[in-house]
Amino acid sequence: MKKKDILLALFLLVLTMTGLYLHFRLPQVASAAMESALKDSRETVELPVLMYHGIVSDASRASEYFITDTALEEDLKWLQDHGYTTVSVKQLTDYVQRGAKLPEKPVLLTFDDGYRNNYTLAFPLLQKYHAKAVISVIGSESDLSSGTIYRGDEVSGGNITWGEAALMVQSGLIEIGNHTYDLHRNAGGRKGADRLEGESDDAYREVLTKDLGHNQDLISAATGQPALIFAWPFGAWPSDGSADPILKDLGFSGSLTSYQIMNTIRREDPDSLFGLKRFLRTPSFRLSEHLPT
């Protein structure tokens, strides 16, 4: 073989090997770069959580727990104008557990009880502003609403049906949270789902597992996915954290309380999503007085 033929063969071999290397290596490099871009470099993230209940269209019917749809829209516009991005519980869970990227200024919108006006008045506004929210339902009330024809007005109209919950979840904007099946009614001297004084660990676990577990099954059957977050009724919860292992066993990645302060959630610290504090939105509450601009 002539010298030039040998050199040509070597050149072609080098080209082939280079091509094979790039063929296998470039996707790995691209994948690693993409994964890095999807990771959040922050070790901690400040998270305000807003707590809503009922929504009314008539200002004369507003109360501590019912604000007007106009006020809700003002909130959504203020958040948008000041660079806040609404996030889902799933996004928060992904950040804490896997370091997934969150928006620069995340905010979590929560609605407790699951009033029907969350569907008729709040949901259209959330769609208008492409805002995400979690609506934590009382399962026994949704059962009742799902079995009746007469729904009443925006205040006395009961709670969302399981069908309405499913429709909202399908929008991609709404998650359904768990607000107990029936413990919310303060029966037997228990405040919501809080622990009774002197109640044993086993007895308390049985109470929570039975009630919350039943609601989880109903939520999952209606929406195709169980609730990721539990909202403590009346903000009453075991402050020693003794209920957190029970909630985790039921599939929750976080829980909601009250208290008007900000939260700091931490990457690779799942416990930082339990006991999240919330700002209660009353008619006199102003976002500009509590949230950083």
Side-chain angles (χ1 to χ4, degrees):
M1 182 179 291
K2 295 180 179 180
K3 183 177 180 180
K4 66 178 182 179
D5 292 332
I6 295 175
L7 291 174
L8 178 61
L10 288 173
F11 176 70
L12 292 175
L13 179 60
V14 169
L15 283 180
T16 301
M17 296 303 294
T18 302
L20 289 172
Y21 174 79
L22 292 176
H23 174 76
F24 289 106
R25 180 58 180 163
L26 282 180
Q28 295 175 2
V29 172
S31 177
M34 182 177 296
E35 183 178 353
S36 177
L38 294 175
K39 292 288 186 180
D40 202 308
S41 61
R42 294 171 292 181
E43 294 292 334
T44 63
V45 172
E46 296 300 300
L47 176 72
V49 184
L50 302 179
M51 175 169 53
Y52 300 90
H53 290 81
I55 307 297
V56 293
S57 58
D58 182 355
S60 68
R61 309 189 77 177
S63 65
E64 183 179 6
Y65 293 104
F66 280 72
I67 66 167
T68 64
D69 51 355
T70 301
L72 175 60
E73 182 162 18
E74 288 173 353
D75 286 358
L76 295 174
K77 188 175 187 307
W78 188 94
L79 291 169
Q80 190 176 83
D81 290 345
H82 289 82
Y84 283 93
T85 303
T86 57
V87 294
S88 66
V89 178
K90 178 65 165 57
Q91 285 177 276
L92 297 174
T93 302
D94 287 344
Y95 164 78
V96 168
Q97 295 183 355
R98 293 187 289 277
K101 188 175 286 296
L102 283 176
E104 182 180 352
K105 294 172 68 174
V107 59
L108 179 64
L109 307 184
T110 70
F111 291 78
D112 278 12
D113 301 328
Y115 293 113
R116 183 175 181 242
N117 52 53
N118 292 177
Y119 175 72
T120 58
L121 295 176
F123 183 46
L125 288 174
L126 294 170
Q127 290 178 301
K128 177 180 177 179
Y129 287 86
H130 305 286
K132 298 177 181 179
V134 55
I135 300 175
S136 297
V137 301
I138 303 170
S140 60
E141 294 294 338
S142 286
D143 270 353
L144 184 63
S145 294
S146 297
T148 185
I149 297 176
Y150 176 71
R151 303 294 298 281
D153 62 19
E154 60 192 29
V155 174
S156 62
N159 288 47
I160 60 173
T161 66
W162 294 117
E164 289 164 347
L167 286 172
M168 289 191 285
V169 168
Q170 288 173 9
S171 73
L173 296 174
I174 305 299
E175 293 173 303
I176 299 299
N178 193 323
H179 203 35
T180 77
Y181 177 75
D182 208 29
L183 285 175
H184 198 282
R185 59 193 177 94
N186 287 341
R190 187 188 303 276
K191 186 172 184 180
D194 200 1
R195 188 171 189 154
L196 289 172
E197 186 176 351
E199 189 170 29
S200 70
D201 292 345
D202 290 343
Y204 186 50
R205 173 177 284 275
E206 183 179 355
V207 167
L208 285 190
T209 299
K210 180 179 179 181
D211 184 277
L212 274 57
H214 182 47
N215 212 24
Q216 286 290 77
D217 291 341
L218 292 172
I219 293 169
S220 185
T223 68
Q225 53 197 49
L228 289 177
I229 203 157
F230 172 61
W232 288 97
F234 316 109
W237 61 303
S239 57
D240 61 0
S242 59
D244 291 353
I246 305 173
L247 298 183
K248 291 175 183 178
D249 287 345
L250 287 167
F252 296 108
S253 58
S255 63
L256 301 165
T257 62
S258 298
Y259 310 106
Q260 310 274 83
I261 58 176
M262 293 278 286
N263 300 278
T264 300
I265 59 173
R266 294 176 292 277
R267 196 173 61 190
E268 298 182 2
D269 181 8
D271 289 339
S272 66
L273 286 180
F274 284 84
L276 291 175
K277 283 70 174 176
R278 297 186 283 175
F279 294 100
L280 173 62
R281 181 40 161 115
T282 64
S284 61
F285 180 93
R286 295 293 177 268
L287 294 182
S288 58
E289 297 175 3
H290 296 86
L291 271 62
T293 56

